[in-house]
PDB file of all heavy atoms in Angstrom:
ATOM      1  N   LEU Q   8     -51.542 158.362 127.233  1.00  0.00           N
ATOM      2  CA  LEU Q   8     -50.968 159.458 126.441  1.00  0.00           C
ATOM      3  C   LEU Q   8     -52.044 160.391 125.901  1.00  0.00           C
ATOM      4  O   LEU Q   8     -51.831 161.604 125.789  1.00  0.00           O
ATOM      5  CB  LEU Q   8     -50.128 158.907 125.284  1.00  0.00           C
ATOM      6  CG  LEU Q   8     -48.736 158.413 125.644  1.00  0.00           C
ATOM      7  CD1 LEU Q   8     -48.030 157.860 124.415  1.00  0.00           C
ATOM      8  CD2 LEU Q   8     -47.902 159.511 126.278  1.00  0.00           C
ATOM      9  N   SER Q  18     -52.380 171.317 134.870  1.00  0.00           N
ATOM     10  CA  SER Q  18     -51.106 171.804 135.400  1.00  0.00           C
ATOM     11  C   SER Q  18     -51.075 173.333 135.434  1.00  0.00           C
ATOM     12  O   SER Q  18     -50.468 173.925 136.326  1.00  0.00           O
ATOM     13  CB  SER Q  18     -49.940 171.274 134.568  1.00  0.00           C
ATOM     14  OG  SER Q  18     -49.846 169.878 134.715  1.00  0.00           O
ATOM     15  N   THR Q  26     -46.858 172.464 127.549  1.00  0.00           N
ATOM     16  CA  THR Q  26     -47.653 172.222 126.349  1.00  0.00           C
ATOM     17  C   THR Q  26     -48.153 170.777 126.356  1.00  0.00           C
ATOM     18  O   THR Q  26     -47.548 169.902 126.984  1.00  0.00           O
ATOM     19  CB  THR Q  26     -46.811 172.437 125.074  1.00  0.00           C
ATOM     20  OG1 THR Q  26     -45.785 171.443 125.021  1.00  0.00           O
ATOM     21  CG2 THR Q  26     -46.206 173.839 125.034  1.00  0.00           C
ATOM     22  N   ALA Q  31     -47.118 165.031 126.873  1.00  0.00           N
ATOM     23  CA  ALA Q  31     -47.122 163.686 126.284  1.00  0.00           C
ATOM     24  C   ALA Q  31     -45.725 163.067 126.355  1.00  0.00           C
ATOM     25  O   ALA Q  31     -45.591 161.876 126.672  1.00  0.00           O
ATOM     26  CB  ALA Q  31     -47.615 163.739 124.840  1.00  0.00           C
ATOM     27  N   LEU Q  34     -45.142 162.060 129.992  1.00  0.00           N
ATOM     28  CA  LEU Q  34     -45.927 160.866 130.301  1.00  0.00           C
ATOM     29  C   LEU Q  34     -45.286 159.622 129.696  1.00  0.00           C
ATOM     30  O   LEU Q  34     -45.192 158.584 130.351  1.00  0.00           O
ATOM     31  CB  LEU Q  34     -47.365 161.015 129.789  1.00  0.00           C
ATOM     32  CG  LEU Q  34     -48.276 161.945 130.564  1.00  0.00           C
ATOM     33  CD1 LEU Q  34     -49.563 162.181 129.789  1.00  0.00           C
ATOM     34  CD2 LEU Q  34     -48.567 161.402 131.950  1.00  0.00           C
ATOM     35  N   ALA Q  44     -46.281 156.020 138.714  1.00  0.00           N
ATOM     36  CA  ALA Q  44     -47.656 155.837 138.248  1.00  0.00           C
ATOM     37  C   ALA Q  44     -48.335 157.201 138.180  1.00  0.00           C
ATOM     38  O   ALA Q  44     -48.035 158.090 138.983  1.00  0.00           O
ATOM     39  CB  ALA Q  44     -48.444 154.917 139.179  1.00  0.00           C
ATOM     40  N   GLY Q  75     -45.529 163.249 143.266  1.00  0.00           N
ATOM     41  CA  GLY Q  75     -44.850 164.212 142.410  1.00  0.00           C
ATOM     42  C   GLY Q  75     -45.726 165.407 142.096  1.00  0.00           C
ATOM     43  O   GLY Q  75     -45.230 166.507 141.864  1.00  0.00           O
ATOM     44  N   ALA Q  82     -63.230 173.459 139.058  1.00  0.00           N
ATOM     45  CA  ALA Q  82     -64.684 173.236 138.995  1.00  0.00           C
ATOM     46  C   ALA Q  82     -65.113 171.980 139.745  1.00  0.00           C
ATOM     47  O   ALA Q  82     -66.303 171.775 139.979  1.00  0.00           O
ATOM     48  CB  ALA Q  82     -65.132 173.138 137.534  1.00  0.00           C
ATOM     49  N   ARG Q 101     -48.505 150.716 148.896  1.00  0.00           N
ATOM     50  CA  ARG Q 101     -48.556 149.455 149.653  1.00  0.00           C
ATOM     51  C   ARG Q 101     -48.213 148.269 148.752  1.00  0.00           C
ATOM     52  O   ARG Q 101     -47.445 147.392 149.127  1.00  0.00           O
ATOM     53  CB  ARG Q 101     -49.944 149.252 150.253  1.00  0.00           C
ATOM     54  CG  ARG Q 101     -50.199 150.046 151.495  1.00  0.00           C
ATOM     55  CD  ARG Q 101     -51.554 149.666 152.111  1.00  0.00           C
ATOM     56  NE  ARG Q 101     -52.014 150.727 152.959  1.00  0.00           N
ATOM     57  CZ  ARG Q 101     -52.812 151.727 152.573  1.00  0.00           C
ATOM     58  NH1 ARG Q 101     -53.283 151.773 151.343  1.00  0.00           N
ATOM     59  NH2 ARG Q 101     -53.163 152.663 153.428  1.00  0.00           N
ATOM     60  N   HIS Q 120     -52.274 172.495 152.273  1.00  0.00           N
ATOM     61  CA  HIS Q 120     -51.745 171.993 153.543  1.00  0.00           C
ATOM     62  C   HIS Q 120     -52.883 171.524 154.444  1.00  0.00           C
ATOM     63  O   HIS Q 120     -52.790 170.460 155.077  1.00  0.00           O
ATOM     64  CB  HIS Q 120     -50.946 173.079 154.270  1.00  0.00           C
ATOM     65  CG  HIS Q 120     -49.799 173.606 153.458  1.00  0.00           C
ATOM     66  ND1 HIS Q 120     -49.107 174.733 153.822  1.00  0.00           N
ATOM     67  CD2 HIS Q 120     -49.230 173.176 152.300  1.00  0.00           C
ATOM     68  CE1 HIS Q 120     -48.155 174.973 152.935  1.00  0.00           C
ATOM     69  NE2 HIS Q 120     -48.220 174.047 151.999  1.00  0.00           N
ATOM     70  N   GLU Q 121     -53.945 172.277 154.500  1.00  0.00           N
ATOM     71  CA  GLU Q 121     -55.103 171.888 155.319  1.00  0.00           C
ATOM     72  C   GLU Q 121     -55.737 170.615 154.786  1.00  0.00           C
ATOM     73  O   GLU Q 121     -56.164 169.752 155.556  1.00  0.00           O
ATOM     74  CB  GLU Q 121     -56.121 173.029 155.390  1.00  0.00           C
ATOM     75  CG  GLU Q 121     -55.625 174.232 156.169  1.00  0.00           C
ATOM     76  CD  GLU Q 121     -55.151 173.868 157.569  1.00  0.00           C
ATOM     77  OE1 GLU Q 121     -55.877 173.132 158.280  1.00  0.00           O
ATOM     78  OE2 GLU Q 121     -54.043 174.318 157.957  1.00  0.00           O
ATOM     79  N   GLY Q 127     -55.047 163.011 156.896  1.00  0.00           N
ATOM     80  CA  GLY Q 127     -54.190 162.189 157.739  1.00  0.00           C
ATOM     81  C   GLY Q 127     -52.691 162.369 157.596  1.00  0.00           C
ATOM     82  O   GLY Q 127     -51.926 161.663 158.252  1.00  0.00           O
ATOM     83  N   TYR Q 128     -52.254 163.298 156.785  1.00  0.00           N
ATOM     84  CA  TYR Q 128     -50.820 163.517 156.599  1.00  0.00           C
ATOM     85  C   TYR Q 128     -50.311 164.525 157.636  1.00  0.00           C
ATOM     86  O   TYR Q 128     -50.988 165.508 157.948  1.00  0.00           O
ATOM     87  CB  TYR Q 128     -50.524 164.030 155.187  1.00  0.00           C
ATOM     88  CG  TYR Q 128     -50.638 162.936 154.149  1.00  0.00           C
ATOM     89  CD1 TYR Q 128     -51.879 162.436 153.769  1.00  0.00           C
ATOM     90  CD2 TYR Q 128     -49.512 162.384 153.561  1.00  0.00           C
ATOM     91  CE1 TYR Q 128     -51.996 161.419 152.837  1.00  0.00           C
ATOM     92  CE2 TYR Q 128     -49.608 161.367 152.630  1.00  0.00           C
ATOM     93  CZ  TYR Q 128     -50.858 160.892 152.269  1.00  0.00           C
ATOM     94  OH  TYR Q 128     -50.960 159.873 151.353  1.00  0.00           O
ATOM     95  N   PHE Q 137     -33.273 174.391 146.518  1.00  0.00           N
ATOM     96  CA  PHE Q 137     -32.286 175.136 145.746  1.00  0.00           C
ATOM     97  C   PHE Q 137     -32.231 174.562 144.342  1.00  0.00           C
ATOM     98  O   PHE Q 137     -32.408 173.356 144.149  1.00  0.00           O
ATOM     99  CB  PHE Q 137     -30.912 175.049 146.430  1.00  0.00           C
ATOM    100  CG  PHE Q 137     -30.898 175.699 147.778  1.00  0.00           C
ATOM    101  CD1 PHE Q 137     -31.277 174.998 148.899  1.00  0.00           C
ATOM    102  CD2 PHE Q 137     -30.536 177.021 147.907  1.00  0.00           C
ATOM    103  CE1 PHE Q 137     -31.288 175.586 150.145  1.00  0.00           C
ATOM    104  CE2 PHE Q 137     -30.521 177.632 149.155  1.00  0.00           C
ATOM    105  CZ  PHE Q 137     -30.905 176.909 150.276  1.00  0.00           C
TER     106      PHE Q 137
END
Side-chain angles (χ1 to χ4, degrees):
L8 282 178
S18 294
T26 66
L34 286 169
R101 281 186 202 92
H120 302 168
E121 292 306 313
Y128 285 73
F137 296 86

